[in-house]
Amino acid sequence: MYTALYNHINTFVDLSNDEREILASMLKSFLFKKKAFLLEQGQICRSNYFVVKGCLRLYFIDIKGVEQTTQFAIENWWITDLTSFLFQKPSDFFVQAAEDTRVIAIEQHRYDEMFERLPKIEKYFRLILQKNHQASQRRIMFLYSFTAEERYRHFNSLFPEFVQRIPQYMLASYLGFTPEFLSKIRAKK
Amino acid sequence: MYTALYNHINTFVDLSNDEREILASMLKSFLFKKKAFLLEQGQICRSNYFVVKGCLRLYFIDIKGVEQTTQFAIENWWITDLTSFLFQKPSDFFVQAAEDTRVIAIEQHRYDEMFERLPKIEKYFRLILQKNHQASQRRIMFLYSFTAEERYRHFNSLFPEFVQRIPQYMLASYLGFTPEFLSKIRAKK
DNA sequence: ACCTTTTCTTAATCTACATTAAGTTTTTTG
DNA sequence: CAAAAAACTTAATGTAGATTAAGAAAAGGT
């Protein structure tokens, strides 16, 4: 049931079968259809989501009414609006399935209990939060270093198959420019 | 000696005196003069730094040779190039004192030991990494929502005293524009 | 297979911000 | 306190990328 998550956890810490069972009792598994919403702006974020297969995206609608994608999560990544999730207050974000997506969810009222009962999970989350922090430092450097065109070419060379998988307008806003400009770049070669 | 850090830790978890002593044996305290480097590009990042008083900044030099400030750390914030620190590989970044700064440092070879011996510190770091992740989500939203001028006015209204404390060219690059443009904005009113 | 909706493209025009360069003010240092 | 260095300002010119608008292609539903 939760083997994808167990496997991921095991690349960081060793969980016993007993620990896996305790953990399993706190998790839920869902399948979301493409375009389904896991969270909408104004709602309170109930869960932190681990992507087993598929792709979720986190986005908001800016002052001009345009969707701005701030994060993607593919296989083995967690995604949520942390502020809304932790403090149970209304979110500024949407979480939506970019394709049919299998997720494992932990609800907020179970989240702290999980750390109390499973110290190894405390370490696991500390380690994946470190990875997130590394990714954020890299992303800021990336945004501040390169032009729009360079950002696209770089991203495309790192994740060519992912670029095929998702609509271009989502990628454009993630990289910080408009879909029209992305079209222009792509036409160039 | 390390009371500023103990106080900060205690806002998240309760440390006993014994635990404080163990922790103290792994820490070092330093005073850096304004403009002193704690880390330079190409060096391996030896420590993670907690700012007791003063201000550190993380920056890199972009392709055009311009300094790009990606992070500030003031009282009660940790700062380091995480990738270089965790994997002991050469850094792309500089860490520099923006003013005379008192720091508490934990070296990399002590870092994992700290978590082994002090599970409460595992929780403490998980919690501050969560705070970092929240801050990153907010920052990306902020960068994608507003014009340069709006970003400056917003930042200035949130941290008016901090804006006075640091050179404008550092702030300009942190907010994603040039010092000349910041001058122009400020002249407007 | 057809119709609707969504996504992508093209091209003309526009603008926020960068660049360059010179001068001025402030801070630092001997 | 004088000289040098660092930080800031002003203004003219340039450009990456936004905006607008209309049409084309692809995807999805029945």
Side-chain angles (χ1 to χ4, degrees):
Chain A
M1 189 64 168
Y2 302 126
T3 43
L5 178 56
Y6 297 155
N7 287 341
H8 189 245
I9 292 173
N10 263 48
T11 63
F12 296 92
V13 295
D14 293 319
L15 275 197
S16 69
N17 276 330
D18 283 0
E19 288 166 324
R20 284 182 182 189
E21 269 176 43
I22 293 171
L23 181 60
S25 72
M26 302 176 185
L27 301 172
K28 290 183 180 172
S29 179
F30 299 101
L31 187 61
F32 289 98
K33 283 278 180 202
K34 186 171 175 173
K35 298 204 177 174
F37 289 102
L38 290 75
L39 170 68
E40 293 186 62
Q41 190 182 69
Q43 291 179 353
I44 288 166
C45 184
R46 303 292 174 194
S47 298
N48 195 355
Y49 300 101
F50 176 83
V51 176
V52 174
K53 185 162 171 37
C55 178
L56 301 179
R57 66 164 178 145
L58 183 74
Y59 73 93
F60 68 96
I61 294 186
D62 72 15
I63 292 171
K64 293 176 179 161
V66 179
E67 290 180 8
Q68 301 291 348
T69 299
T70 61
Q71 202 187 328
F72 290 109
I74 56 169
E75 287 76 3
N76 291 335
W77 283 87
W78 289 87
I79 195 168
T80 193
D81 171 2
L82 246 204
T83 302
S84 176
F85 175 71
L86 292 175
F87 302 107
Q88 294 290 289
K89 59 185 199 187
S91 178
D92 297 322
F93 291 91
F94 298 79
V95 174
Q96 188 188 33
E99 18 184 74
D100 292 357
T101 303
R102 164 71 60 188
V103 305
I104 298 171
I106 174 117
E107 290 173 18
Q108 196 273 337
H109 69 276
R110 285 276 159 94
Y111 188 67
D112 289 333
E113 183 193 349
M114 176 175 74
F115 296 124
E116 306 272 304
R117 296 180 62 186
L118 299 166
K120 285 179 191 167
I121 295 294
E122 184 90 56
K123 177 172 290 275
Y124 166 69
F125 268 86
R126 198 256 302 164
L127 291 168
I128 62 167
L129 283 162
Q130 277 183 182
K131 272 189 67 179
N132 276 331
H133 191 246
Q134 286 180 256
S136 294
Q137 286 192 331
R138 244 182 289 117
R139 183 164 179 200
I140 289 287
M141 188 172 186
F142 181 66
L143 282 172
Y144 283 33
S145 292
F146 300 116
T147 66
E149 178 161 357
E150 287 165 344
R151 294 198 299 274
Y152 168 70
R153 302 225 181 272
H154 183 78
F155 190 88
N156 192 48
S157 72
L158 285 179
F159 310 106
E161 81 305 326
F162 181 69
V163 170
Q164 303 306 324
R165 259 164 76 180
I166 52 155
Q168 288 182 35
Y169 72 89
M170 291 184 193
L171 182 61
S173 68
Y174 178 75
L175 293 174
F177 47 79
T178 60
E180 291 85 354
F181 192 69
L182 179 50
S183 260
K184 201 168 172 179
I185 291 169
R186 293 177 48 130
K188 278 175 68 175
K189 209 185 123 267
Chain B
M1 188 62 168
Y2 301 126
T3 43
L5 178 56
Y6 297 155
N7 288 340
H8 189 246
I9 292 173
N10 264 48
T11 64
F12 296 92
V13 295
D14 293 318
L15 274 198
S16 70
N17 277 331
D18 282 2
E19 287 167 324
R20 286 182 180 190
E21 269 176 41
I22 293 171
L23 181 61
S25 73
M26 301 175 185
L27 301 172
K28 289 182 181 173
S29 178
F30 299 101
L31 187 60
F32 289 98
K33 283 278 179 202
K34 186 172 176 173
K35 299 206 178 172
F37 288 102
L38 289 74
L39 169 68
E40 292 186 63
Q41 188 181 69
Q43 291 178 352
I44 289 166
C45 184
R46 303 294 173 192
S47 298
N48 195 356
Y49 300 101
F50 176 84
V51 176
V52 174
K53 185 164 171 36
C55 177
L56 301 179
R57 67 165 179 144
L58 183 74
Y59 73 92
F60 68 96
I61 295 185
D62 72 14
I63 291 171
K64 294 177 179 161
V66 179
E67 290 180 8
Q68 300 290 347
T69 299
T70 61
Q71 202 188 328
F72 291 108
I74 56 169
E75 286 75 2
N76 291 335
W77 283 87
W78 287 87
I79 195 169
T80 193
D81 171 0
L82 245 205
T83 302
S84 176
F85 175 71
L86 292 175
F87 303 107
Q88 294 289 290
K89 59 186 197 186
S91 178
D92 297 320
F93 291 92
F94 298 78
V95 175
Q96 189 187 32
E99 20 186 69
D100 292 355
T101 303
R102 164 73 59 189
V103 305
I104 297 171
I106 173 115
E107 289 173 17
Q108 196 273 337
H109 69 277
R110 285 276 158 92
Y111 188 67
D112 289 333
E113 184 193 347
M114 177 175 73
F115 296 123
E116 306 273 303
R117 296 179 64 186
L118 300 166
K120 285 179 191 168
I121 295 295
E122 185 89 57
K123 177 172 291 274
Y124 166 68
F125 268 87
R126 198 255 302 164
L127 291 168
I128 62 168
L129 283 162
Q130 276 184 181
K131 271 190 66 179
N132 276 331
H133 191 246
Q134 286 181 255
S136 294
Q137 286 191 332
R138 245 181 290 119
R139 182 162 178 202
I140 289 286
M141 188 171 188
F142 181 66
L143 282 171
Y144 283 34
S145 292
F146 300 115
T147 65
E149 179 162 356
E150 288 165 344
R151 294 197 301 273
Y152 168 71
R153 301 223 182 273
H154 183 76
F155 190 90
N156 191 48
S157 71
L158 284 180
F159 311 106
E161 81 306 327
F162 181 69
V163 169
Q164 303 306 326
R165 256 164 79 180
I166 51 154
Q168 287 183 35
Y169 73 91
M170 291 184 192
L171 182 62
S173 69
Y174 179 75
L175 293 175
F177 47 79
T178 59
E180 291 85 354
F181 192 69
L182 180 49
S183 260
K184 203 168 171 178
I185 292 170
R186 293 179 49 131
K188 278 174 69 175
K189 209 188 126 268

